[in-house]
Amino acid sequence: MNKTQLCVLALLAGTALPAAAQIDTTLARHDFFVKASIATGANKDFTRAQSTAAVTTISGEQTGRRSSKNISDGLVGLGGNGLVSMRNAGTYFSANPTFYVRGLQSLSGSAPLVLVDGIERDMNIIDPTEVDHVDILKDAAAVALYGNRGANGAINVITKRGKYNSKGVRVSYDHLFNYQINRPKFISAPTYAAAMNEALANEGKAPKYTADEISAFQSGAYPDLYPNVNWVDATFRHHGMTNKIASEFYGGGQNFKYYTMLNLLSDKGFIKNDVDDNGNHTQDKYVRANMRINLDVDLSPTTLMKVNVLGMLSEMSQPGNATNLWGLVYNLPSAAFPVKFQKDGLWGGSATWAGTDNPVANTAAAAYYKLHERSLYADLSLRQNLGMFIPGLSASARMGYDTYSTLYENHSKTFQYGFYAPATWNDGVPTPGTYSIGGEKGTQGTGANTSAYNRRFHFDGGLNYERTLQEAHYLFSSLRWEYEYHNTTGVNTSVYRQTASWLTHYAYRNRYIAEMAWVLTGSSRLAPGTKWAVAPTFSAAWVMSQEPWMKNAEWVDFLKWRASFGIINTDYLPGDNVWTYYTQSYSNDGVTYPFDSSYDSSWGRTTLGRMATDNPSHEKAYKYNVGLDASILHGLDLQIDGYFQRRNNIWVDGSGSYGSIIGFSAPYINAGVVDSWGFEAAADYSHKVGDVTLNIGGTFSLNKNKIKDQAEEPRAYDNLVTTGYPLNSIWGLKAVGLFKDQADIEASAPQTFSEVKPGDIKYEDVNHDGKIDANDRTKIGYSTLCPEIFYSLHIGAEYKGVGFNALFQGVDRYSALLNTSGYYWGLINNRTLSQDVYDHRWTPDNLNAEYPRLSSSSNANNYQTSSFWLRNRSYFKLRNIEVYYNLPKTLLSKTKALSEARVYVRGNDLFTLDHLRSVDAESYGATSPLTRSVIVGLNVTF
C-alpha cells in the first residue's frame, strides 16, 4: 500500500496516521471525507482535487481574529461564499449570531445543521482557540450522508489535533475593552412634557403639564416632584471588559498524538450600579472554562483510536428578577420619577409609572440571579484495517455521548419605592401631594433548580473499501449505518434517527471523478408509513488542469469543474412542532348536561381537534449545483458556484384548501413548494515581493427564493396574494406621505383604521375599491431576517514581522421596520420618545416630516405596517482589524524557551456605513445595543 493510500485509509478512520506515513497535516478541505464526518487531516491538494462537493473552508486563524467568546461569534463577517452570518443584540451571555447557508430556503425554516467534529452539537460553547477550521457544506454532495438533517446546509467545526514526534505549548491572553454602539437617545423631561402637551393638542385634548411644571422640569429645582433623569446613563456605564486566557498543549510520540486546551473567559457588562444594598454583586457577568482533550492512539499497526472530549462549565449572573433592563429604559420617560427620593432615600416611583419599573432600582436593590451551564461532549472512534483478509478493506465505528444542562439560582428580592400624588401649584410654588410607599422590602430568594437539559447519543459504524488499480483507477466505497438519540427539555421531545448509506467514489487518473450516494433515512418524528425514505445523490468533477493539453499552461496551477444533484429528505414537523398531525385529536370541555332530576351527563361535550392529515408525506429538497475551483497566476485561488433548489411537500396549514365549511380546523398538508437559487464567488490572492507578503480577497453571495405554492386561501384582491414572492417578504400598506390639513383628508379615500387628523400617514388605495383598509396590503420590502446579498473583503500585509489584517463585510437587499415601541412609537401609554423622532416629527410648520404627528393614545392608523416605517437595512462594516508584531527569532532564541511570540492590537466593528440615523442596521430595537471592542493581546509558543 503506497503512502497516499495509507493516508486516505487513516482519513476514513478519522484517526491518527502511523508515524511512518505522516504527510502534510494541512486542513481537510473540499473532499467527500468531510461529508462523512471523519476527516481530520490530509494533503490539501489531494483532497481538493478529489472533491465533487461545494464546500467552503474557513481557517481557525481567521475565526480567532475577533477574540470572540465562541466560534459562532468568530464566524461573523466571514464566509460570504455561501455562509450568511448576522450578529444579534443582547447581553454578552445571550447574544449569539444567526447563520444561514445559502439564505432562506423553506417555509418550514432555514437554520443549517451545526456539527462539531461531525456530530450535531451546539457550537456556541466552542472557543475559537480549540478550532482548527470550519467547513461550510452547501450542496447535496456535501450533506448527503447527514440524512434528513442537512437540507438547509451544514456548518462543521473541526477541532485541533496534535502532531507525531513533537511537543509544544502555546499561551494566549486577550483583554477586551467593550463599548456599546448607538446607545438610544431619548428626550429630556421638559421636552417630554412639551411633547405630551403637543400630542394631546393634536387630539383636541387639554394639556397635561402646565408652564410652571415644564419650567420645573427644566430648572431641576424640585427633583423629587419634577425629575429629569437620563435613564440610559443612570443605568448603564459606557464600557465593559472581557478577559480571555488559553493554554494549549500539543504534540505526540511515535504512536500517539495529543491536543489539550484549557480556556478561561470572564466578562463584565455595562451595568453602572453593580453592588446592591446588601453587598451583592449584580453586574451582568459571564465566566466560562473550557477543557478540550483530543487524542489519537495507534493501538496496533492496524488498529487506530481517536478520542475527543470537551468539558465546559460556566456561570452567568445578572440583576435579580432577570429583568430586561433595556426594555424598561425604552419605556420609561425621563419625567417619570427620580432614581431615588431625596426625602427618604427610597427608590423612585409614581402613581403612573410603577417603581418596579425603575431600572436603577432593579440593578441595585433586586439582588441577583445566576445561571450555570454544564456540558460534556465526548466521542470515541476505532478503525481496524482488514487488509490481511481483503486488500483495501477496513472497518470503523464511532460512539459519542453529549450532555448539556442549565441550573438556575434565583436570589432575587423585592424592594420598596415611594411615590407622590400630583402636586398643586400656588404662586409659582408646588405643594407635594400625598407621599406613599409601594412595593415590599423582601428577603433574598433561595430558589434553585434545573432549567434546561439536552442529551444526545450517537453511534455510527461501517465498512470501507479503497483501492488504486494500475495507477489510474481509484475506487473508494463505504457502507455505513448511523443511529442517534436526542432528548431535550419538555414533554415528547425524544427523537430517534437512523441513517444507512452507501457512498462510492471513483476517479480516473485524478482527472475524471464521479461519486454516488444512496441514503436511507428513518425518523421517529414522522408518521407511520413515512418514517423511512431513500435519497440518492450524484456528483462529478473534471480536473481540467490534469489534461495533457493543459500542462503547458503555466498560469494554471489547478482547475476543476464540478456538478452535483441530489434529493435530501427531512423530518420537519408541521405547525408549532405538532407530533400528532397524522392522528385525529379530540377534546372534552367538561360541561355536564342535566337530563332530569336523577341523571346528569358526566362526559361533557366532546369536540374534534384539528383534522388529521390524510396520506402524509415529508418535505424534500432537490438540490442542483455547478461549480469551479481554481488556482491560477501562482497565487490566486478562486471558487465559483451556481445553484438551484426546489423544496416540495413542505408542511402548510390546509385552511386555504379546505375552507371553513368542514366546521373545525383544517389539517396540515404537504403542499408547500419553494424555489431558491443563487450565485457565489470567492477570490483570494497572496503574493510576496521582497520582504513584503500581501494578501487580498473577497466573497460575494446572491441568494434568492420564491414561494411557488403554499395552499394559500383565495384572496379577494391580487395584491394580497403572497404566493410567488420571496420568503419573509414584508407585506403592508403603501404610504404616500402625511396628511397636510383637513382639506387633504377630505379629498382622499377614507382610511378605516382610526380617525385621521393632519399629520397622520396617508396610504395608497392599492386595490382601487375607494377605501383604505387591510385589503390594500401588498409587498413592500425585502426580508427582515436574511439579506439576499452578503459580501466581504479582506486585506493583509506583513513586513519583517510587522503586519495587519482587515476584514470588511456588507449586506444588501435587506429591510428594516421601525416599529419599536418607546423609540419610534412613543408617548402612547405614557411611554418615552426618542430624540430622533421628536426632532423630525410632523408639525404644521414641518409638513413633509419623516415621522407622523405625536399621539398620546393608540393610533391604529399610523402604526400599521407600512412603507412609511420601512428602511433600507443594507450596511458596510469594518468587521475587524488587527495590527501585530512577531518578535524576531534571533531575540527569542536568547530566552532558550520561546519559539514564537506575537503581540497585537485588534478592533471589532469599529466602523459602519448604513441608512439608519440613530440605530445600528444590523440589530435595533428595545434590547442591548451592539458592541465594539478594542483588544490588546499576546500569544507565545514554547
Side-chain angles (χ1 to χ4, degrees):
M1 182 175 292
N2 62 35
K3 184 176 178 180
T4 299
Q5 290 174 310
L6 189 57
C7 295
V8 173
L9 183 65
L11 279 171
L12 297 175
T15 55
L17 295 172
Q22 290 183 62
I23 60 171
D24 178 13
T25 55
T26 307
L27 314 180
R29 296 293 199 262
H30 316 275
D31 68 323
F32 61 94
F33 306 126
V34 173
K35 302 177 309 180
S37 311
I38 49 182
T40 58
N43 181 277
K44 177 179 178 180
D45 294 331
F46 174 78
T47 58
R48 189 181 188 194
Q50 286 287 307
S51 172
T52 60
V55 180
T56 294
T57 296
I58 303 170
S59 71
E61 180 184 4
Q62 292 174 290
T63 61
R65 288 175 182 161
R66 285 181 64 86
S67 301
S68 305
K69 70 171 182 178
N70 56 32
I71 188 61
S72 296
D73 191 62
L75 285 170
V76 168
L78 297 171
N81 193 32
L83 179 67
V84 178
S85 54
M86 312 299 299
R87 282 189 78 193
N88 290 317
T91 62
Y92 188 84
F93 165 77
S94 63
N96 289 307
T98 299
F99 295 101
Y100 300 96
V101 174
R102 293 185 164 174
L104 302 179
Q105 301 186 35
S106 175
L107 293 161
S108 59
S110 302
L113 172 66
V114 175
L115 307 149
V116 178
D117 290 325
I119 297 177
E120 186 173 356
R121 287 164 168 158
D122 182 4
M123 65 179 177
N124 291 325
I125 68 171
I126 305 297
D127 191 87
T129 307
E130 61 194 282
V131 174
D132 187 84
H133 67 284
V134 180
D135 287 312
I136 313 303
L137 313 180
K138 300 178 288 188
D139 68 343
V143 300
L145 300 187
Y146 295 116
N148 47 28
R149 298 171 297 157
N152 294 327
I155 301 171
N156 192 11
V157 179
I158 307 297
T159 58
K160 293 178 180 177
R161 314 207 70 77
K163 297 181 180 180
Y164 289 106
N165 298 319
S166 66
K167 63 179 180 180
V169 177
R170 184 183 299 113
V171 178
S172 60
Y173 172 72
D174 293 310
H175 181 79
L176 290 76
F177 302 91
N178 305 315
Y179 306 90
Q180 291 179 326
I181 304 173
N182 291 327
R183 293 194 352 164
K185 297 178 177 62
F186 299 101
I187 56 178
S188 64
T191 305
Y192 174 82
M196 181 59 75
N197 285 350
E198 179 182 317
L200 292 167
N202 289 337
E203 297 161 353
K205 301 175 183 177
K208 181 176 181 178
Y209 298 97
T210 66
D212 286 337
E213 289 177 310
I214 295 175
S215 296
F217 282 126
Q218 184 70 52
S219 68
Y222 311 102
D224 278 4
L225 301 179
Y226 299 97
N228 185 8
V229 181
N230 183 328
W231 289 111
V232 174
D233 289 344
T235 309
F236 302 102
R237 61 184 183 180
H238 286 79
H239 68 279
M241 64 183 66
T242 307
N243 286 287
K244 290 186 63 179
I245 186 168
S247 299
E248 300 173 85
F249 305 87
Y250 54 90
Q254 185 72 14
N255 297 310
F256 77 97
K257 57 183 179 178
Y258 63 89
Y259 173 81
T260 300
M261 182 218 61
L262 177 63
N263 172 269
L264 298 175
L265 170 71
S266 174
D267 176 80
K268 293 184 178 180
F270 296 91
I271 291 176
K272 190 171 186 177
N273 304 278
D274 58 356
V275 179
D276 71 6
D277 300 335
N278 296 327
N280 297 310
H281 290 272
T282 61
Q283 182 62 264
D284 271 334
K285 293 186 295 183
Y286 181 58
V287 181
R288 188 191 69 204
N290 279 22
M291 186 172 183
R292 158 79 58 182
I293 300 175
N294 288 351
L295 299 175
D296 298 80
V297 183
D298 306 338
L299 298 178
S300 75
T302 61
T303 307
L304 309 175
M305 180 180 73
K306 180 175 72 174
V307 178
N308 298 326
V309 179
L310 169 67
M312 185 276 289
L313 300 175
S314 82
E315 179 183 284
M316 181 275 290
S317 178
Q318 67 182 51
N321 302 316
T323 303
N324 178 5
L325 296 175
W326 279 105
L328 299 180
V329 169
Y330 268 77
N331 281 288
L332 194 64
S334 52
F337 44 70
V339 174
K340 280 187 174 182
F341 284 110
Q342 294 181 351
K343 171 185 176 65
D344 55 9
L346 278 181
W347 295 106
S350 78
T352 302
W353 298 277
T356 52
D357 291 339
N358 185 329
V360 179
N362 276 279
T363 65
Y368 63 95
Y369 177 95
K370 284 187 176 182
L371 188 72
H372 303 269
E373 291 180 298
R374 303 288 185 267
S375 184
L376 177 68
Y377 290 170
D379 60 90
L380 180 148
S381 60
L382 291 171
R383 168 71 176 191
Q384 179 62 53
N385 185 350
L386 301 175
M388 68 288 290
F389 303 112
I390 300 176
L393 184 66
S394 62
S396 61
R398 177 176 56 175
M399 181 172 65
Y401 181 76
D402 299 342
T403 179
Y404 171 88
S405 64
T406 58
L407 304 94
Y408 72 87
E409 298 178 44
N410 190 357
H411 299 288
S412 305
K413 68 184 183 72
T414 58
F415 54 87
Q416 290 184 322
Y417 58 89
F419 60 96
Y420 280 100
T424 57
W425 283 77
N426 295 296
D427 299 325
V429 177
T431 299
T434 303
Y435 182 75
S436 304
I437 296 177
E440 180 181 350
K441 189 175 183 179
T443 57
Q444 200 164 298
T446 58
N449 208 336
T450 301
S451 51
Y453 63 84
N454 190 322
R455 295 189 293 261
R456 186 184 303 274
F457 173 78
H458 176 97
F459 176 83
D460 66 75
L463 295 173
N464 309 302
Y465 178 79
E466 65 91 19
R467 291 296 299 273
T468 299
L469 303 174
Q470 301 176 352
E471 297 184 357
H473 306 277
Y474 171 76
L475 176 67
F476 167 75
S477 189
S478 177
L479 186 64
R480 303 187 67 79
W481 175 72
E482 178 180 311
Y483 169 83
E484 189 167 275
Y485 162 76
H486 186 210
N487 178 250
T488 59
T489 311
V491 179
N492 294 329
T493 59
S494 295
V495 178
Y496 303 85
R497 293 188 177 101
Q498 296 185 62
T499 302
S501 62
W502 175 34
L503 172 71
T504 298
H505 179 97
Y506 169 78
Y508 175 71
R509 296 190 183 279
N510 286 339
R511 188 185 309 164
Y512 309 112
I513 306 167
E515 185 174 314
M516 175 194 70
W518 290 91
V519 180
L520 176 66
T521 59
S523 173
S524 65
R525 292 163 63 93
L526 298 176
T530 68
K531 293 183 180 295
W532 293 91
V534 175
T537 298
F538 306 94
S539 56
W542 174 31
V543 185
M544 184 186 292
S545 55
Q546 290 287 335
E547 295 289 353
W549 46 269
M550 287 287 292
K551 297 297 183 181
N552 294 327
E554 297 183 357
W555 58 278
V556 176
D557 300 314
F558 178 77
L559 179 61
K560 181 184 68 179
W561 298 90
R562 49 184 164 74
S564 68
F565 162 74
I567 302 172
I568 307 297
N569 295 300
T570 75
D571 62 353
Y572 301 136
L573 296 176
D576 298 324
N577 224 20
V578 178
W579 289 75
T580 57
Y581 60 90
Y582 53 86
T583 59
Q584 186 60 58
S585 62
Y586 303 89
S587 61
N588 188 301
D589 61 11
V591 177
T592 60
Y593 299 92
F595 289 87
D596 56 38
S597 59
S598 62
Y599 175 76
D600 285 345
S601 167
S602 60
W603 293 282
R605 180 175 54 191
T606 299
T607 58
L608 290 172
R610 181 180 291 272
M611 184 177 178
T613 301
D614 182 36
N615 193 27
S617 182
H618 59 270
E619 182 178 343
K620 303 177 184 67
Y622 295 79
K623 291 177 174 285
Y624 304 80
N625 193 93
V626 293
L628 167 71
D629 299 324
S631 293
I632 60 176
L633 303 175
H634 308 296
L636 177 60
D637 288 334
L638 299 172
Q639 187 180 53
I640 301 172
D641 280 276
Y643 72 91
F644 174 82
Q645 177 183 236
R646 166 154 289 189
R647 301 286 279 269
N648 69 6
N649 284 358
I650 303 172
W651 285 107
V652 294
D653 191 307
S655 300
S657 297
Y658 282 78
S660 60
I661 193 171
I662 62 175
F664 52 97
S665 298
Y668 292 108
I669 57 176
N670 296 105
V673 179
V674 174
D675 287 347
S676 58
W677 63 96
F679 166 81
E680 303 159 352
D684 186 87
Y685 180 71
S686 296
H687 189 64
K688 189 170 184 178
V689 181
D691 292 327
V692 179
T693 301
L694 299 173
N695 176 259
I696 188 170
T699 66
F700 178 87
S701 294
L702 171 65
N703 301 303
K704 296 180 67 65
N705 64 79
K706 180 185 290 187
I707 302 170
K708 303 294 289 186
D709 192 1
Q710 54 185 330
E712 187 173 10
E713 64 185 85
R715 303 292 185 180
Y717 301 94
D718 291 342
N719 56 282
L720 300 176
V721 177
T722 60
T723 303
Y725 293 93
L727 293 162
N728 194 238
S729 297
I730 301 177
W731 291 77
L733 303 171
K734 282 188 176 181
V736 292
L738 298 171
F739 287 113
K740 300 182 183 301
D741 49 33
Q742 189 61 36
D744 189 9
I745 295 173
E746 293 173 356
S748 303
Q751 301 191 176
T752 62
F753 305 107
S754 63
E755 181 184 3
V756 294
K757 296 179 178 294
D760 282 341
I761 302 172
K762 179 165 58 174
Y763 302 113
E764 180 181 332
D765 184 9
V766 173
N767 63 6
H768 306 293
D769 65 351
K771 61 181 179 181
I772 310 297
D773 57 17
N775 288 326
D776 290 297
R777 298 181 186 276
T778 189
K779 181 182 180 297
I780 58 174
Y782 296 106
S783 169
T784 60
L785 294 180
C786 179
E788 288 189 356
I789 293 176
F790 188 99
Y791 59 93
S792 67
L793 171 68
H794 66 267
I795 184 170
E798 182 177 323
Y799 173 73
K800 293 185 176 181
V802 179
F804 81 95
N805 294 289
L807 173 68
F808 300 88
Q809 182 256 310
V811 302
D812 203 354
R813 298 189 181 180
Y814 193 30
S815 292
L817 275 175
L818 307 184
N819 57 359
T820 304
S821 299
Y823 198 76
Y824 295 106
W825 296 359
L827 298 184
I828 294 176
N829 295 326
N830 298 302
R831 289 194 296 259
T832 188
L833 181 71
S834 74
Q835 187 69 51
D836 182 64
V837 172
Y838 182 79
D839 291 341
H840 299 89
R841 73 197 187 282
W842 179 92
T843 67
D845 297 325
N846 184 22
L847 298 180
N848 297 313
E850 186 174 348
Y851 301 108
R853 68 176 175 92
L854 299 180
S855 302
S856 70
S857 56
S858 180
N859 191 320
N861 182 83
N862 289 350
Y863 299 147
Q864 296 292 315
T865 299
S866 75
S867 61
F868 193 91
W869 301 105
L870 188 70
R871 297 294 185 274
N872 181 350
R873 200 177 174 184
S874 60
Y875 59 78
F876 181 74
K877 289 176 177 278
L878 173 57
R879 275 298 181 194
N880 47 275
I881 186 169
E882 175 189 51
V883 178
Y884 62 87
Y885 177 55
N886 294 316
L887 275 66
K889 298 284 187 180
T890 54
L891 176 62
L892 296 176
S893 64
K894 296 179 181 180
T895 67
K896 298 182 180 180
L898 299 179
S899 60
E900 295 179 0
R902 170 183 285 197
V903 293
Y904 48 84
V905 177
R906 295 169 175 167
N908 293 338
D909 301 298
L910 300 181
F911 172 78
T912 302
L913 290 175
D914 61 30
H915 301 273
L916 301 184
R917 184 171 46 244
S918 60
V919 295
D920 192 280
E922 190 168 17
S923 184
Y924 60 94
T927 185
S928 304
L930 295 176
T931 59
R932 61 168 53 98
S933 301
V934 176
I935 304 114
V936 293
L938 171 69
N939 189 311
V940 295
T941 302
F942 299 89

